[in-house]
Amino acid sequence: MSDMGRLIEPLIPALRRYARALMGDAASADDLVQDCLERTISRWHQRRDDGDTRAWMFTILHNLAVNRMRQTTRRGRHIELDDADESAMAEPAHQEDGMRETDIMAAVNRLPEDQRSVLLLISVEELSYADAARVLDVPIGTVMSRLARARERLRRLMQDDTAAAAHVAGRPHLRSVQ
């Protein structure tokens, strides 16, 4: 057995255990170990002679796993075509979400500065009322009233924008009744 085989072979069970823990799926873990072994053998000449083979191989395995997870996040999980149903292949459109975010930020930017700062500190930065009061150097009651006015004004601005868009599109505006 060559020097390479003598160093690699005893590490395979530990690599498989680590890969299964990372991937959570035996088949994916075995594929990952196979890729790791392939990369180890093809890059054996790049290994430092004084380096720890075990650490080097675990680093390769870990980096391959991270790359797979990123790829899965970007592409979505792999489903065999025969096993897929329509709901697994369909994904809702996200264009309206982006447009709504743009509309909300435009409306937030139209709020007066005192209301906008309170709304952002509490709603976006998740500060408590007391912390927001300290940041703005105002009483807590002022924070509460500014927040209430900001939310109400934001709601009205969003309704006005919706009504204007419906009017432009030639559709009648329907009010929500509370």
Side-chain angles (χ1 to χ4, degrees):
M1 186 183 297
S2 71
D3 182 44
M4 179 176 29
R6 194 173 35 68
L7 291 171
I8 291 175
E9 190 174 351
L11 298 176
I12 293 173
L15 290 169
R16 289 185 76 203
R17 275 192 306 274
Y18 185 54
R20 284 188 181 191
L22 287 174
M23 303 306 287
D25 172 33
S28 296
D30 288 342
D31 289 344
L32 186 66
V33 171
Q34 178 68 32
D35 290 346
C36 175
L37 293 172
E38 185 178 306
R39 184 163 293 184
T40 299
I41 292 168
S42 69
R43 300 219 168 69
W44 188 256
H45 65 280
Q46 295 175 346
R47 181 184 67 88
R48 293 189 315 197
D49 292 331
D50 62 340
D52 182 11
T53 303
R54 178 182 174 94
W56 183 60
M57 289 184 68
F58 272 87
T59 301
I60 291 171
L61 182 81
H62 179 80
N63 290 339
L64 287 169
V66 169
N67 289 345
R68 283 235 177 114
M69 289 179 217
R70 285 182 184 150
Q71 185 180 42
T72 300
T73 302
R74 267 193 326 271
R75 293 183 181 170
R77 67 184 179 93
H78 178 76
I79 300 172
E80 292 293 330
L81 194 55
D82 295 335
D83 298 337
D85 60 352
E86 279 188 42
S87 64
M89 296 172 64
E91 186 174 311
H94 299 286
Q95 295 89 339
E96 289 184 19
D97 295 339
M99 292 170 46
R100 182 144 176 89
E101 287 174 21
T102 302
D103 293 345
I104 290 171
M105 286 312 300
V108 167
N109 288 331
R110 291 188 350 220
L111 291 174
E113 175 58 34
D114 60 337
Q115 292 177 8
R116 182 173 56 236
S117 59
V118 169
L119 182 72
L120 292 174
L121 286 173
I122 292 174
S123 300
V124 177
E125 299 302 327
E126 298 180 345
L127 265 61
S128 67
Y129 288 7
D131 290 340
R134 277 194 293 279
V135 167
L136 298 172
D137 195 29
V138 296
I140 196 167
T142 303
V143 167
M144 294 168 68
S145 63
R146 285 181 183 174
L147 181 61
R149 285 194 305 270
R151 287 176 174 161
E152 176 59 28
R153 189 174 205 159
L154 186 61
R155 187 183 62 75
R156 274 190 274 121
L157 287 170
M158 292 302 294
Q159 282 180 338
D160 292 347
D161 287 348
T162 303
H167 180 68
V168 169
R171 292 179 287 157
H173 171 61
L174 301 176
R175 281 188 4 213
S176 61
V177 179
Q178 296 179 353

